Amino acid sequence: MFMRLTALLSFAILLAGCQPKVGYSVGTDLGPLQPGETRHLVGTDLGPVQPGQTKLQIKLPPEKWIRSQIGSNYFYTCRALACAHKVTLVLATFPIARNAHPKALANLATSEITGKPGKATLISGPRPLMALGYHATIYSLSLTEHGTSNYAERMIIASGGLGIAITAMSVNAGEAKRAIEEFLANTTVEDGGPRPQTN
């Protein structure tokens, strides 16, 4: 099981590495916004959102999900016996243009899939949808290592100025889908709009 989980986490970090690398701040107590700065807040107990900020508030029940962080990636692992099958959610965020074009989301998903030959097999998608009130795309992958098939359900959401990439990984495809649904049911996004221009 440890080998399976290690392979899945490596795969999720690999996908997260596909996201654009643009400098921005993530945190809850970083002081006042600096000129030209856009700030994305990720957490569970966040204050009011300000212009130039996007607040991603996640309230997955801690009695079921264990939260951890590696670099800029957030991990939510289902506690032992709390899920029918082992499942892990991996969250990555990245700055995007406001009012992102839906076709651009599909293109991003396609580039992720085709950019990693031999790592995974596409099962379905990418398929456009609405999630958390924003345009999104979703697709499913299978990853086979050491004779074991694992599944990844991946959704990319364009929320205001914040891109949200959430990947659910499990040996069971249905468990991965349910984990994505639970994440969406326990997550809200609040966009403060663009920061006013200063002369």
Side-chain angles (χ1 to χ4, degrees), residues 54-74:
T54 303
K55 181 172 69 174
L56 175 61
Q57 189 153 307
I58 303 162
K59 292 189 175 181
L60 287 167
E63 63 272 15
K64 180 177 180 179
W65 297 95
I66 301 171
R67 180 181 180 275
S68 59
Q69 184 176 355
I70 300 177
S72 60
N73 298 314
Y74 295 84

Side-chain angles (χ1 to χ4, degrees), residues 36-187:
E37 179 187 12
T38 297
R39 184 169 299 167
H40 308 305
L41 306 178
V42 181
T44 55
D45 298 305
L46 305 174
V49 67
Q50 303 295 324
Q53 296 179 335
T54 303
K55 181 172 69 174
L56 175 61
Q57 189 153 307
I58 303 162
K59 292 189 175 181
L60 287 167
E63 63 272 15
K64 180 177 180 179
W65 297 95
I66 301 171
R67 180 181 180 275
S68 59
Q69 184 176 355
I70 300 177
S72 60
N73 298 314
Y74 295 84
F75 294 79
Y76 298 86
T77 303
C78 193
R79 292 183 182 274
L81 304 183
C83 298
H85 302 273
K86 186 75 172 181
V87 60
T88 298
L89 288 161
V90 183
L91 169 69
T93 60
F94 54 99
I96 59 172
R98 293 186 178 277
N99 303 315
H101 196 287
K103 182 64 176 176
L105 280 173
N107 291 340
L108 175 59
T110 301
S111 69
E112 287 186 349
I113 297 163
T114 59
K116 304 297 177 185
K119 294 291 183 181
T121 302
L122 181 66
I123 299 174
S124 65
R127 175 175 59 87
L129 73 161
M130 297 295 292
L132 302 177
Y134 296 94
H135 289 288
T137 188
I138 190 168
Y139 61 92
S140 304
L141 298 168
S142 68
L143 173 68
T144 302
E145 278 197 4
H146 309 293
T148 300
S149 293
N150 300 293
Y151 299 90
E153 190 85 0
R154 183 161 170 86
M155 180 179 289
I156 306 172
I157 307 170
S159 60
L162 179 66
I164 303 167
I166 181 71
T167 307
M169 301 164 299
S170 177
V171 296
N172 181 272
E175 197 74 64
K177 293 178 185 295
R178 285 189 292 273
I180 288 283
E181 293 170 357
E182 185 169 351
F183 173 85
L184 294 176
N186 289 276
T187 298

